Amino acid sequence: MTAQFPTATRIPADVPARAGAGLKGEHIPEILESRADLGFFEVHAENYMGAGGAPHRLLEAIREIYPLSLHGVGLSIGGEGPLDKAHLARLAELNRRYQPGLFSEHLAWSTHDTTYYNDLLPVPYDGTTLQRVCDHIDEVQETVGRRMLLENPSTYVAFAQSTMSEIDFLTEITRRTGCGLLLDVNNVHVSSINHERSAEDYLAEFPMDAVGELHLGGHAPDTDDAGRPLLIDAHDREVDEAVWALYELVLRKTGPLPTLIEWDNDVPAWPVLLAEAQAADRILAEAADRPLKQAG
């Protein structure tokens, strides 16, 4: 299938190049009361796939004040089977209803036959998987009627059947489909530690021109069976200092971009999450005054 969207270019975002936060139901009353100065909120699409009720009333109130980024976690774009047409239709309806400034999904699979897994599982980087993912992205973009961002994964093992690097796989997807990329900086750090590779080298090769949004989050330290460091993409704590440093490195290459603070487990009080977003905003403001560094 031939992509109908422009290829390998940054998607113009109707979201400011500021920090945002993941929207949590327990925070909404305080957010609506305080109207904190925040760039945007990101919501998980699967939390709003019912037709109505309190979740939509509250999200509509948030949407009147803040731009939104819609982030899908359950489409299983990397799955071997066809996309769930009903799920995709609900995703398209959410885009129509809330007109989010950004729309994204994961490079992952989470379904097999009729079984749904509560995980975002990695894919092998080979030609067969590449074509399948591109076909799925074409279907998503044509159904929703807009370009999407695809998020780089956090990984813990490598597939023996992979025939290309993750960077080459992602770059080819943007070229074939015209989708953009969501660069999760925490995922880069987690994968780099787990695979004993350089995060800086990975970022030097990443197709930054296609990046439309950044994610920052916390990770949990652990060890593998051999006692080597193992990081888990847990989203359960503050952003690590090493991830903040990589974030500054990325901004030197891209300039300011919409940046989400992800904190999905052990969710803190709203002022704690807001403080993390404000820390990102300060780095974004500094980046706005710096000249961009040439890629490489």
Side-chain angles (χ1 to χ4, degrees):
M1 186 177 293
T2 302
Q4 61 174 304
F5 297 95
T7 60
T9 58
R10 183 164 294 159
I11 299 174
D14 191 17
V15 168
R18 291 193 53 201
L23 185 66
K24 304 302 175 189
E26 60 265 44
H27 294 158
I28 292 178
E30 191 172 355
I31 293 167
L32 293 175
E33 174 68 23
S34 66
R35 298 196 173 213
D37 181 22
L38 196 72
F40 66 99
F41 279 102
E42 186 167 281
V43 298
H44 288 174
E46 283 71 14
N47 290 338
Y48 296 94
M49 286 191 165
H56 281 291
R57 287 198 298 275
L58 292 171
L59 183 56
E60 287 166 356
I62 290 290
R63 182 68 180 93
E64 290 180 1
I65 305 170
Y66 299 98
L68 289 183
S69 177
L70 186 65
H71 189 53
V73 298
L75 192 55
S76 195
I77 276 181
E80 289 190 349
L83 296 179
D84 183 327
K85 298 290 191 295
H87 188 104
L88 183 53
R90 291 190 290 267
L91 203 52
E93 170 58 20
L94 275 174
N95 271 277
R96 185 204 61 77
R97 182 171 183 170
Y98 289 104
Q99 297 293 309
L102 292 166
F103 161 52
S104 55
E105 261 282 354
H106 295 86
L107 175 58
W109 63 278
S110 55
T111 61
H112 182 68
D113 291 333
T114 58
T115 301
Y116 287 76
Y117 303 99
N118 190 29
D119 285 299
L120 296 169
L121 300 164
V123 300
Y125 302 134
D126 60 13
T128 300
T129 309
L130 175 65
Q131 187 58 55
R132 184 173 69 247
V133 170
C134 288
D135 288 344
H136 286 169
I137 291 174
D138 282 344
E139 183 179 356
V140 172
Q141 294 186 143
E142 288 165 7
T143 302
V144 177
R146 61 183 296 179
R147 294 167 69 193
M148 59 170 281
L149 301 176
L150 186 69
E151 180 177 339
N152 59 299
S154 58
T155 58
Y156 307 89
V157 295
F159 287 88
Q161 72 187 78
S162 290
T163 58
M164 62 184 76
S165 71
E166 185 172 288
I167 295 288
D168 289 344
F169 193 84
L170 290 168
T171 302
E172 187 62 13
I173 288 173
T174 66
R175 189 189 71 79
R176 292 191 188 187
T177 70
C179 80
L181 296 174
L182 191 167
L183 175 54
D184 189 312
V185 182
N186 184 58
N187 286 356
V188 172
H189 179 65
V190 166
S191 297
S192 296
I193 294 297
N194 292 345
H195 296 293
E196 299 180 320
R197 68 191 184 199
S198 164
E200 289 79 6
D201 288 349
Y202 178 94
L203 291 173
E205 299 297 325
F206 201 86
M208 295 294 178
D209 287 347
V211 177
E213 184 180 351
L214 302 172
H215 274 187
L216 302 173
H219 55 258
D222 203 339
T223 56
D224 65 15
D225 291 343
R228 292 173 298 217
L230 177 72
L231 299 184
I232 308 298
D233 183 29
H235 297 180
D236 64 346
R237 64 195 70 195
E238 299 89 348
V239 177
D240 189 86
E241 288 300 325
V243 177
W244 283 121
L246 291 176
Y247 176 52
E248 293 191 46
L249 176 63
V250 169
L251 293 181
R252 288 180 184 277
K253 300 172 183 290
T254 64
L257 288 174
T259 301
L260 175 76
I261 300 295
E262 290 186 300
W263 199 326
D264 299 314
N265 298 302
D266 297 333
V267 176
W270 169 239
V272 176
L273 182 53
L274 177 61
E276 285 280 277
Q278 290 169 333
D281 250 344
R282 288 192 290 274
I283 296 173
L284 283 164
E286 294 170 2
D289 295 329
R290 281 197 304 260
L292 292 182
K293 182 179 180 181
Q294 294 298 313

